[in-house]
Amino acid sequence: MKQKIAPSMMCTPLFGIRECVETFERTGIDLLHLDVMDGSFVSNYTLGTNYVKELKAATRIPLDIHLMIEDPERKLDWFDFSEGDYVSVHYEATRHLHRALAAIKSRGAKAMVAINPATPISALDSVLDDIDAVLVMTVNPGFAGQKLVESTLKKIRRLRDSLDGAGYSHIEIEVDGNVSFENAGKMREAGASIYVAGSSSVFAKDGTLEENIAKMRGILEG
Ligand code: DX5
Ligand code: ZN
């Protein structure tokens, strides 16, 4: 499976978004990760509908929209996404998971379920035919700059094994939260293939964005 890097747009400096996107395009970045937080499912507020719309119009890099919002099935129409984009909804945030996934797929996008660190992988059992990827939160959602919840490494391994064993090898695993240079290698070994790169990797202060992307690629492809 191709190893994909998805830089977290909430980590870009407000007045440097254009420059960051140009660097992502030049370096062949696979996906742009957008965290949408509603102050209710998680306590923080981040990128909203207008941000998604403007970014979608400004680049051809596919979007990876991570909806940390309550009842996403009621609000999917507000977001600009189409074929080739990835959209994830949280298992914990909806009573109508299947409806939400079907609505994403009906627009040609890749449908994903996101699960918090304490949510068991069995929560996915009934929707395996309806998803293209699983987003495994490796920190509790809401804020950048947190420390890895170590038990999630075993969870990624268990999920990869159970997907492969049940004939779902095509379902990708995305990891989000403290995907540092060190942790990315372990996550890869455990079976991840999409990496949300935030303050602990590509936006780390001790290298330039370009250097950090090259370093991450080396770790994932080495
Ligand atoms: C939340 C975000 C954060 C963050 C990832 O879903 O995606 O987890 O930006 O980067 P780190 O954890 O490295 O700051
Ligand atoms: Zn995210």
Side-chain angles (χ1 to χ4, degrees):
M1 221 173 244
K2 187 178 183 221
Q3 305 293 301
K4 300 179 181 133
I5 302 176
S8 176
M9 294 305 293
M10 73 182 258
C11 297
T12 58
L14 182 58
F15 292 102
I17 298 175
R18 181 186 294 276
E19 207 183 319
C20 287
V21 172
E22 280 167 6
T23 303
F24 297 148
E25 287 175 344
R26 197 171 53 245
T27 55
I29 281 293
D30 303 280
L31 295 166
L32 300 180
H33 188 81
L34 283 89
D35 288 305
V36 180
M37 305 188 193
D38 66 354
S40 175
F41 176 65
V42 291
S43 54
N44 203 356
Y45 297 92
T46 52
L47 317 178
T49 49
N50 203 49
Y51 187 102
V52 175
K53 187 175 175 178
E54 297 217 356
L55 192 64
K56 172 104 182 127
T59 181
R60 286 161 83 169
I61 302 178
L63 306 184
D64 171 28
I65 305 172
H66 180 190
L67 297 174
M68 282 166 274
I69 62 176
E70 306 274 10
D71 303 327
E73 69 281 359
R74 295 193 196 174
K75 300 157 195 165
L76 284 167
D77 287 350
W78 305 351
F79 292 92
D80 221 358
F81 62 81
S82 58
E83 206 172 335
D85 295 322
Y86 285 63
V87 181
S88 56
V89 292
H90 267 266
Y91 171 81
E92 308 84 2
T94 173
R95 283 170 288 171
H96 301 288
L97 182 61
H98 183 271
R99 184 177 293 156
L101 296 169
I104 295 167
K105 276 204 140 354
S106 73
R107 289 166 61 181
K110 295 196 187 283
M112 314 175 65
V113 179
I115 52 172
N116 283 341
T119 301
I121 60 172
S122 58
L124 305 163
D125 284 356
S126 301
V127 292
L128 293 176
D129 290 323
D130 308 296
I131 58 175
D132 299 283
V134 178
L135 189 163
V136 174
M137 284 304 309
T138 45
V139 300
N140 287 295
F143 298 90
Q146 303 183 79
K147 197 175 166 305
L148 176 75
V149 175
E150 288 279 345
S151 60
T152 58
L153 291 174
K154 281 192 201 144
K155 185 176 174 179
I156 298 162
R157 180 76 270 161
R158 278 203 315 279
L159 176 59
R160 185 71 273 156
D161 288 347
S162 91
L163 289 173
D164 292 349
Y168 293 96
S169 319
H170 61 282
I171 294 184
E172 296 177 87
I173 298 179
E174 175 169 29
V175 283
D176 186 5
N178 197 202
V179 184
S180 62
F181 296 118
E182 193 193 339
N183 292 335
K186 297 182 194 167
M187 291 163 173
R188 188 201 155 163
E189 266 172 44
S193 63
I194 307 174
Y195 305 82
V196 178
S199 64
S200 52
S201 64
V202 305
F203 297 99
K205 297 280 176 255
D206 45 354
T208 66
L209 192 54
E210 210 144 349
E211 286 165 357
N212 290 338
I213 290 168
K215 185 169 172 187
M216 191 70 162
R217 274 235 169 79
I219 290 164
L220 297 178
E221 286 163 12

